[in-house]
Amino acid sequence: MTRLGSSEKQLERLKTTNTDVEVRFGSTEEQLDQLKNDTAELVSRLRSSEKQMEDLKTANTDMEVRLGSTEVQLDQLKTHTAVLEVRLRVGERQLEEQKTENSVLFSQMESRLTDELNRTTELVIRLRSNEKQLERLKTTNTDVEVRLGSTEGQLDQLKNHTAGLEVRLRVSERQLEEQKTTNSEFETKLSAVTFRLNVTKEQLDDLKKQSLVRAAELATFSERLTAALGNTAEELNVAFSAGLTDSGKVGPFDEETTLIFSKTITNIGQAYNSSAGVFTAPVRGLYFFSFTAADYLKGYMGLYLYRNEHPIIFSLDLNDHGGYTSTTSAVALQLDEGDRVRLALPASYRLYDDSRNFSVFSGFLLFPV
């Protein structure tokens, strides 16, 4: 009876121990399920990263290598998880066979589970780091595209300005040659008049009349030459550049709207009114104008360039891929003094600008005429 009582007590203790083991194994299974869910989430996030990396693979070979390494690590994690599942099943069978070694086996399982959780946490951290690097790379690519577009626009403006200077130089040289020719002809005619002064009084009167006519012509030509070449420096030095806004998007509007490029970058001669967005020609001459417009949403973008109330250019572009894009146009216009030039945004169209000056309006005087 004593041995039977002792056996019953041992049986009760064994039942209590089995209950604890079952509870601890239930907790282990919950942690394992959570680990599987975390692994599935990691697989989903990794596939999303792979798609984003495919879009940038031409410029991001280093990221592809790192992503490949992440995939290898994920495969290793899957393999290790499968091994853990096998080992867990073996442990369950061993638990039934060797109840006396439950505490030792459970300690081993807890240790292994902790290691696996640590590895999973490390993989999550590395994946987040990859995602942050991907975002930084996207931002860097966008900035590079914007800076490249700005550099190309500045290069085109510099080429146009150089061409204008060459034209003005040729015109000045041609006018100088014409002046020399006119002066030579006048000197020849004046010598002839001096020679004929000794002929007759009538011829002298005729020569005087001709001299007066030639003098008037020379005076007229001199006035025209002075108007063309002898203007003051302030009248001939005309150039401006202005950015659109720092507030982001502009438009869409219900009707066509004059754009006010309010951020004055350069305004030599004060011919551009930054409050109205209008350039007024101070002298009659040939002027060069250019503008760049930008946006980042899919759809059409465009601008009208007006001389007074007459449209001269309509620049249109389609942003069919989304993201930052820009359009640039330029034109040379002969303007009379007081003519006005402005840019207008068509109804339902929109633009974008900020402190980086994506959208810019520029112009300058090539030469007076």
Side-chain angles (χ1 to χ4, degrees):
M1 291 297 293
T2 300
R3 292 176 63 187
L4 180 60
S6 176
S7 298
E8 289 176 350
K9 290 180 180 180
Q10 290 179 356
L11 182 60
E12 290 296 328
R13 287 195 297 270
L14 185 59
K15 288 181 179 180
T16 302
T17 302
N18 287 341
T19 301
D20 293 339
V21 168
E22 288 176 356
V23 171
R24 293 172 70 183
F25 265 97
S27 176
T28 300
E29 289 176 350
E30 291 178 356
Q31 291 179 352
L32 184 59
D33 290 337
Q34 183 177 0
L35 178 61
K36 289 180 180 179
N37 293 333
D38 292 341
T39 302
E41 182 179 357
L42 288 174
V43 171
S44 176
R45 292 175 65 184
L46 185 58
R47 288 174 181 169
S48 176
S49 297
E50 289 175 351
K51 292 180 181 179
Q52 294 177 348
M53 292 295 289
E54 284 297 327
D55 295 335
L56 297 173
K57 63 181 179 179
T58 56
N60 305 303
T61 55
D62 292 338
M63 289 295 296
E64 289 179 350
V65 173
R66 298 176 67 181
L67 184 58
S69 176
T70 303
E71 291 175 344
V72 171
Q73 292 176 355
L74 186 58
D75 291 337
Q76 292 176 352
L77 178 61
K78 290 180 179 179
T79 303
H80 190 68
T81 302
V83 172
L84 283 178
E85 291 176 351
V86 172
R87 294 175 68 181
L88 183 59
R89 294 190 187 97
V90 172
E92 289 174 348
R93 287 195 300 268
Q94 291 176 350
L95 184 63
E96 294 295 331
E97 298 171 355
Q98 301 177 359
K99 294 181 178 180
T100 57
E101 299 178 359
N102 285 338
S103 59
V104 176
L105 290 175
F106 185 74
S107 299
Q108 292 177 352
M109 291 299 296
E110 283 185 335
S111 177
R112 291 170 183 171
L113 185 59
T114 301
D115 293 339
E116 189 59 29
L117 288 173
N118 291 335
R119 293 176 184 175
T120 304
T121 303
E122 181 181 356
L123 184 58
V124 169
I125 294 173
R126 294 179 64 182
L127 183 59
R128 289 175 180 171
S129 177
N130 287 343
E131 291 174 345
K132 290 180 180 179
Q133 291 177 356
L134 182 61
E135 291 298 326
R136 287 197 297 269
L137 187 57
K138 287 182 179 179
T139 304
T140 302
N141 287 344
T142 302
D143 292 338
V144 168
E145 290 175 356
V146 171
R147 291 175 63 186
L148 181 59
S150 176
T151 302
E152 290 175 347
Q154 292 176 356
L155 181 59
D156 291 338
Q157 291 179 357
L158 182 59
K159 289 180 180 178
N160 294 329
H161 184 64
T162 303
L165 292 177
E166 290 176 354
V167 171
R168 293 176 66 181
L169 180 60
R170 293 193 189 99
V171 171
S172 299
E173 291 174 348
R174 188 164 55 250
Q175 290 175 344
L176 182 60
E177 291 296 329
E178 290 174 356
Q179 180 65 33
K180 289 181 179 179
T181 302
T182 302
N183 290 340
S184 178
E185 292 176 355
F186 183 75
E187 289 175 358
T188 302
K189 292 177 180 179
L190 186 59
S191 298
V193 169
T194 303
F195 175 77
R196 292 176 182 177
L197 281 176
N198 298 323
V199 180
T200 60
K201 184 177 180 180
E202 293 179 357
Q203 291 176 340
L204 179 61
D205 293 337
D206 292 338
L207 289 175
K208 286 182 179 180
K209 292 178 181 180
Q210 292 179 3
S211 297
L212 291 174
V213 171
R214 294 300 181 186
E217 292 177 352
L218 182 61
T220 301
F221 180 77
S222 178
E223 290 177 358
R224 293 179 60 188
L225 185 61
T226 300
L229 299 176
N231 300 73
T232 64
E234 293 181 355
E235 292 176 333
L236 293 181
N237 293 333
V238 179
F240 78 96
S241 285
L244 182 57
T245 182
D246 283 339
S247 60
K249 68 176 184 177
V250 176
F253 302 108
D254 295 334
E255 58 184 12
E256 184 178 295
T257 303
T258 297
L259 290 176
I260 299 177
F261 288 76
S262 58
K263 299 186 297 180
T264 301
I265 301 172
T266 302
N267 193 10
I268 299 175
Q270 304 302 313
Y272 176 72
N273 187 339
S274 60
S275 299
V278 177
F279 172 83
T280 304
V283 296
R284 186 173 185 269
L286 185 65
Y287 292 80
F288 181 84
F289 296 94
S290 66
F291 58 88
T292 298
D295 198 9
Y296 62 89
L297 293 180
K298 288 185 178 181
Y300 286 97
M301 52 184 293
L303 285 176
Y304 281 108
L305 185 141
Y306 278 87
R307 178 177 61 193
N308 296 327
E309 300 304 320
H310 304 287
I312 304 299
I313 290 179
F314 178 55
S315 178
L316 178 66
D317 194 9
L318 173 62
N319 184 359
D320 56 355
H321 56 77
Y324 286 99
T325 187
S326 63
T327 178
T328 300
S329 294
V331 64
L333 290 178
Q334 181 174 332
L335 302 178
D336 292 327
E337 182 179 352
D339 281 351
R340 294 170 290 106
V341 177
R342 61 187 175 88
L343 294 177
L345 183 67
S348 76
Y349 283 48
R350 53 165 284 161
L351 296 177
Y352 180 84
D353 194 17
D354 56 28
S355 60
R356 293 173 287 184
N357 292 329
F358 289 118
S359 299
V360 178
F361 182 28
S362 300
F364 55 87
L365 173 64
L366 290 173
F367 53 84
V369 295

